[in-house]
Amino acid sequence: QVNDLIDRGFIKDVHVEYTAFVKKIMNRIDKEVDRQFYNVYYCGGGAVRLEKQLLLYGGNLMPNPLFANVLGNRNIAKSQWGE
């Protein structure tokens, strides 16, 4: 897996690609949402991997971003069906 190769140092200097990718994401979001008035939050493994770049562009990470989707779905299930 590419993430393992990056983590082990076999693939180096990925930060330039990360920054370019996050810039593209932010440009697309800016077409839909005025980030000066709305907070945009990111979650998931991609958000964890791109955290530094997201924060540089004013992005916000959800608390516990790797499990935020699952925790949110758990809360929805609790509200629907109880504990």
Side-chain angles (χ1 to χ4, degrees), residues 2-78:
V2 172
N3 286 330
D4 291 333
L5 296 173
I6 292 169
D7 290 341
R8 293 180 185 174
F10 291 107
I11 299 174
K12 299 178 187 206
D13 299 325
V14 294
H15 299 290
V16 172
E17 287 83 8
Y18 287 176
T19 301
F21 182 66
V22 168
K23 188 174 181 178
K24 283 183 183 180
I25 291 170
M26 294 300 180
N27 287 337
R28 290 193 70 185
I29 289 171
D30 286 341
K31 291 177 183 176
E32 303 292 329
V33 176
D34 188 343
R35 292 188 297 124
Q36 291 181 356
F37 295 105
Y38 296 97
N39 291 322
V40 179
Y41 289 86
Y42 303 92
C43 62
V48 172
R49 172 69 65 185
L50 300 169
E51 180 177 5
K52 291 177 188 175
Q53 288 77 16
L54 287 169
L55 295 176
L56 283 174
Y57 280 91
N60 303 291
L61 266 65
M62 294 292 295
N64 199 356
L66 193 56
F67 296 101
N69 288 330
V70 141
L71 296 172
N73 284 325
R74 179 176 175 236
N75 290 336
I76 292 169
K78 279 181 171 179

